[in-house]
Every structure is written in C-alpha cells, then in structure tokens.
Amino acid sequence: MDLRSLRYFVETVRLNSFTQAAEKLNVTQSTISKMVRQLEQEVGTELLLRSGRQLQLTDTGRVVFARGEEMLAAMQQLTMEVADLQAAQSGHLTVGIPPMINLLFTPVLKTFRKRHPGISLTLKEDAGQALERQVASGELEIGMTVLPADPQLGLQTAPIVSYPIWALAARGTFPKQRSTLKLKALATLPLVMLTDDFALTRSLRHAFAQAGIAPEIAAQSGQWDWLVAMASAGMGVALLPEPLVHRLAIGQLDRLKLVEPELQWQAAHVWRGPYLSHAARAWLEVCNEVLGTGA
C-alpha cells in the first residue's frame, strides 16, 4: 500500500474535503482525487462515498482510515527517532577500552553522561590488541588501543593522550640521584611486563627490536598492579606509563623515566572505515574537549 496515497486519504477524511486536503498538502485537488482512487483500486473496494460536498466512509474506509492513522503516526515516530539519533540525542554506543586506559576516562564519562543522557553507553574492557581485532571484524564500532595499531587491520586512528613510559624497580636497583634511564640499560636487567595481548607490550617489543635489545623477561601478567608488586619484590623492572606510575608506584620503588629514546605511551581511538555513528562522534567530541586532544 502506497503511503503517500494513504496519507492523502487520511487527510481528506480528517478535513472532510478534497479541496482543503489539497490546500494543506500543497497539491492540486485532482492529485488528491487520483491518489484516493488509486488507494481504492489497491484495496479493491470503495473507501469514500461522495454525496455532494459531504464525504462518508464505507465500512472498509473506516478500517483503512483507523489503521492508516496508526501507520502514519508510526512513520512520524520513526522519523523523529532517526532525527534524534542523527542529533546524538539517543541511541547506544559500546566503546572498547583497555584496563590501563580506563583510569583516565572518569571525567570523560561524567561529561558524556551529562551532555548526552539519551545515549546508552557501555564500556567493554579488553586488551588493546583484542579490541583492535574486534573493531576490524565489526564486533565493535570504536575502541581504544596503544599506538602503533596493527597496520594489517587497516583501522582509522585518532590519538587521545600521550605519556612517557617509566621504569619501576625495587629500591636500590638503579643508581642513586638519577631521574632517567636509557633504554639500552634494560638489556642487562630482568623485566616484568604485561602479556603479549597488550598493545603496550607490542610497542615495547618494537622499541627493543629497533634498539637491538633482546630483553630478559622474568614474568608477564595481565594485571598492572601485580607487575608493581613483582617489581617491589625485586623480580624485575616494570615498564608502565606515567599516569599509572603516579597512582601506583609508592613505597619501596625506584622510578626513572625512560630516555634515549623517550618512549611514549600513546593511546588512541580506532575504528573501521570512514563512517562513524552520531553517538560515536559525540563520544570523540567529548574526549577532545575534556582531554584536550585532536580526537
């Protein structure tokens, strides 16, 4: 059933006039008459009895009018809901976020909830490389990782934050009165690192390869607080980004910033292809505003 014919019919019945319906819909009266006849042909029976200037609904006409109003109201509601989505006023967004990054996003979440209360937001925690694969496969629209992202996945990237990486070890491991540690010094020290699922580990392995270092990895864990505990126990040097160092590295620990080169922990959003939903764009806008990046 043609919705335009249905709309013309419903408006004619409401106004009880072909002429007034034509004026309201900004079409000619002959167009209204033609569309109503077309609807009657589609239904297979008369819908309106024309008696002078009065219009009377047939039994079928009453059913078509009642259901037609419901259908047109549903279409109007659909149009409004689509417009709301386009205005980022409603909808749902799932953002993939690594556990190491989530500590930075409390102010972002607060602002996003306040500005876009109609958007249902879900945070899915997983390692950066796993999130990259989920975004590439279409399971997630947008996620976060540590750069560089896997080039074979062909993902779009937008940096969020960038912090230097620090070395943490039991008190007395590093020379006194030092505030920095050259990367090559790690060649002779055991390391405790995040598992290979983490994008930070991928980034560190790349830096070691570039520097010609074959690191001695004493242990790996998916829990950064456990890495700190192992470093405190003297098992090896933990390599963590600055925000975590300031939050966790307390007590009997030496803390030195890595230099030559100064390695950066650069977190970024990743997504697939040129299109992003309005909800995802709204998320990036808030990240840009709160964190002061070019997201």
Side-chain angles (χ1 to χ4, degrees):
M1 186 177 293
D2 182 77
L3 284 176
R4 186 171 64 167
S5 299
L6 186 61
R7 182 186 177 201
Y8 287 5
F9 167 72
V10 168
E11 204 61 47
T12 299
V13 175
R14 284 174 178 168
L15 298 173
N16 195 36
S17 169
F18 284 88
T19 302
Q20 292 183 41
E23 290 177 354
K24 182 173 181 179
L25 296 171
N26 197 29
V27 296
T28 64
Q29 183 175 335
S30 61
T31 298
I32 294 287
S33 298
K34 177 181 177 182
M35 298 300 283
V36 171
R37 284 196 300 271
Q38 177 179 312
L39 184 61
E40 290 177 327
Q41 291 173 1
E42 291 176 349
V43 173
T45 186
E46 284 187 310
L47 302 176
L48 285 173
L49 299 178
R50 301 159 181 83
S51 177
R53 293 185 177 181
Q54 295 297 314
L55 301 176
Q56 183 178 352
L57 285 169
T58 65
D59 289 342
T60 303
R62 280 192 289 271
V63 173
V64 173
F65 175 71
R67 297 296 177 262
E69 282 193 310
E70 294 174 2
M71 292 172 64
L72 293 173
M75 287 298 299
Q76 184 179 19
Q77 181 65 31
L78 174 61
T79 301
M80 291 174 60
E81 290 178 3
V82 170
D84 284 344
L85 284 170
Q86 292 176 339
Q89 296 174 0
S90 62
H92 177 79
L93 177 66
T94 299
V95 178
I97 181 168
M100 291 185 68
I101 296 177
N102 59 15
L103 294 174
L104 306 175
F105 276 80
T106 300
V108 174
L109 292 174
K110 181 179 179 180
T111 301
F112 187 84
R113 293 288 192 190
K114 182 177 181 180
R115 185 171 302 173
H116 303 285
I119 297 179
S120 173
L121 180 65
T122 300
L123 298 179
K124 180 178 182 181
E125 289 189 291
D126 209 335
Q129 292 185 86
L131 293 173
E132 290 177 28
R133 293 190 293 270
Q134 292 168 35
V135 171
S137 68
E139 182 179 345
L140 280 176
E141 179 182 12
I142 190 168
M144 301 178 203
T145 191
V146 174
L147 295 179
D150 185 346
Q152 296 184 358
L153 297 178
L155 299 175
Q156 303 287 329
T157 62
I160 310 167
V161 291
S162 183
Y163 295 100
I165 295 175
W166 288 59
L168 287 70
R171 187 64 56 84
T173 301
F174 303 135
K176 294 181 178 180
Q177 309 302 321
R178 295 287 300 274
S179 60
T180 61
L181 182 72
K182 294 181 180 180
L183 182 65
K184 65 180 182 180
L186 296 177
T188 60
L189 295 171
L191 305 180
V192 290
M193 297 175 61
L194 291 166
T195 61
D196 289 335
D197 290 337
F198 284 78
L200 174 60
T201 300
R202 176 183 60 196
S203 178
L204 288 170
R205 287 189 181 278
H206 177 75
F208 292 146
Q210 290 290 101
I213 297 173
E216 176 193 345
I217 300 178
Q220 289 184 267
S221 170
Q223 303 296 322
W224 35 260
D225 51 349
W226 196 9
L227 294 183
V228 174
M230 287 190 284
S232 298
M235 290 181 58
V237 178
L239 303 173
L240 295 174
E242 187 173 82
L244 293 181
V245 172
H246 292 333
R247 286 174 170 83
L248 302 171
I250 57 176
Q252 301 301 309
L253 281 173
D254 286 342
R255 293 168 282 178
L256 301 180
K257 185 168 68 172
L258 286 180
V259 294
E260 297 185 23
E262 181 178 301
L263 300 183
Q264 292 290 313
W265 180 74
Q266 189 172 30
H269 283 107
V270 291
W271 65 90
R272 184 179 64 166
Y275 176 78
L276 273 177
S277 69
H278 293 275
R281 286 187 232 170
W283 170 260
L284 290 177
E285 181 181 349
V286 172
C287 288
N288 180 30
E289 178 181 319
V290 175
L291 298 176
T293 68

